[in-house]
Amino acid sequence: LSAGINHEICNPLGIARGAEVDVEVRGVNLGDLKSLKVKAAENAEPGSRVDVPVKLAAGSPLNSKNLVVGEFPEAIEQGTNDDGAGANAVPTPATVNGRIERPGDVDVFRFAAKKGQRLIVDVNARRLGSPLDSFVEILDGAGKPLPRATLRSLAKTYTVFRDHESTSPGIRIEDWRELAVNDYVMIGNQLLRILALPKNPDDDCQFFQLRGQRVGYFDTTPAAVSVSTPIYKVSLHAPGTQFPPNGMPLNTIPFANDDGGPQYVKDSRLFFDPPADGEYFVRISDVRGQEAAKRAGWRL
């Protein structure tokens, strides 16, 4: 008799070293088995795996599952936490386990932070086998998006010749006379930095890359670019900085991230520099809003 566990309904996806947790499992031919206990050794290395020991009268399941070991205190999503009023309070540092359970579901958590104490918000879902395509953002104490930087546009050009996919470090541009190496440019919602200017009209402008994929700065996510998309050379300033109008857009980048980069698959990663001591919210969702049926799990 074949049996299997659905990974997205193996909850939680991790465990603190030295801890014991009840793990919910669902799958086919598991009979009455709904949950079981898993324990991690006191000396377990952070990032190592602990097997979920499913034992059935008919034998072992065809697929095995495991939990990742964490080094911080662990919390599990509680109740309805779709907004600031129902947000779960969590310490920092900590690992939080949760699930996106219905269309448009979001999970919100409250935490305290101090100015000058950088925090990293790291979603671990796809790397653990969950189908979640996460989006994470930091909100202020009133539950509003928190601005990270103001970008002033200084010059304008366009993409030309062809559409460009989301990963290529090279983009063909119309005019680069007002651009220089190390300049920042805004293309759509992605903030990029110039590595090398075109050598001739048939050459691409090269942007900083990692593992062959272009890098978005301030945790912006590189995305596909269609031909004739405007490109703005920008200068970076503190949030809320005001300037006299120059006929070009003034953009604000919030503390938010879709994809954390080449090594993060579809998982989000966000660097947070608190602007002041106080309480903040972190909100996590699926960018597609499609994960209700799969009840996608994640660790934050």
Side-chain angles (χ1 to χ4, degrees):
L1 181 66
S2 299
I5 308 171
N6 296 333
H7 197 138
E8 61 270 21
I9 312 182
C10 177
N11 183 57
L13 298 179
I15 183 173
R17 55 182 172 184
E20 183 178 69
V21 296
D22 288 313
V23 178
E24 176 190 358
V25 294
R26 294 191 187 182
V28 295
N29 297 325
L30 296 181
D32 295 330
L33 181 63
K34 303 297 182 185
S35 67
L36 48 83
K37 291 189 179 297
V38 177
K39 185 172 183 178
E42 294 282 352
N43 61 350
E45 289 290 331
S48 62
R49 305 292 181 120
V50 178
D51 289 336
V52 177
V54 175
K55 295 181 180 179
L56 304 169
S60 299
L62 293 177
N63 60 332
S64 61
K65 300 300 177 186
N66 51 56
L67 309 184
V68 64
V69 176
E71 59 181 315
F72 302 123
E74 302 231 353
I76 295 180
E77 173 190 5
Q78 302 290 332
T80 302
N81 61 336
D82 294 350
D83 53 32
N88 300 167
V90 296
T92 52
T95 298
V96 186
N97 296 273
R99 287 185 294 189
I100 300 298
E101 299 186 273
R102 62 183 182 278
D105 186 25
V106 298
D107 293 331
V108 182
F109 300 88
R110 184 174 68 253
F111 67 95
K114 294 182 182 250
K115 184 175 182 178
Q117 238 178 18
R118 169 173 276 198
L119 299 174
I120 300 176
V121 180
D122 187 346
V123 179
N124 210 330
R126 283 291 180 96
R127 289 169 289 167
L128 297 179
S130 171
L132 185 73
D133 186 355
S134 62
F135 181 76
V136 67
E137 52 194 324
I138 302 292
L139 312 177
D140 64 18
K144 297 180 180 178
L146 191 64
R148 182 172 189 170
T150 294
L151 309 183
R152 187 189 191 200
S153 300
L154 304 173
K156 182 179 181 181
T157 185
Y158 295 89
T159 62
V160 294
F161 184 59
R162 66 183 188 278
D163 295 339
H164 299 78
E165 37 78 34
S166 62
T167 60
S168 172
I171 295 178
R172 192 73 56 90
I173 64 177
E174 181 182 55
D175 188 351
W176 56 93
R177 286 174 294 178
E178 295 185 81
L179 302 178
V181 171
N182 288 323
D183 277 350
Y184 289 96
V185 300
M186 198 76 180
I187 308 179
N189 293 320
Q190 55 192 307
L191 178 64
L192 308 177
R193 196 173 187 184
I194 295 175
L195 175 65
L197 292 172
K199 299 180 181 65
N200 54 63
D202 296 321
D203 192 22
D204 290 346
C205 182
Q206 297 294 320
F207 295 93
F208 278 88
Q209 60 181 283
L210 176 65
R211 298 181 183 177
Q213 298 184 30
R214 69 176 181 267
V215 173
Y217 285 79
F218 281 13
D219 295 320
T220 58
T221 300
V225 179
S226 59
V227 68
S228 299
T229 296
I231 301 175
Y232 294 96
K233 173 183 174 178
V234 296
S235 56
L236 313 183
H237 304 274
T241 305
Q242 299 295 315
F243 303 94
N246 65 355
M248 291 189 232
L250 198 66
N251 292 304
T252 298
I253 291 183
F255 281 99
N257 179 254
D258 178 2
D259 296 338
Q263 68 271 49
Y264 282 81
V265 196
K266 289 291 184 180
D267 288 342
S268 306
R269 181 195 59 176
L270 178 62
F271 291 93
F272 178 48
D273 295 296
D277 295 358
E279 283 200 334
Y280 300 89
F281 297 97
V282 57
R283 180 166 62 191
I284 182 172
S285 59
D286 184 273
V287 296
R288 305 156 299 173
Q290 297 177 347
E291 299 306 321
K294 298 177 181 178
R295 302 179 69 186
W298 53 263
R299 280 165 65 79
L300 183 65

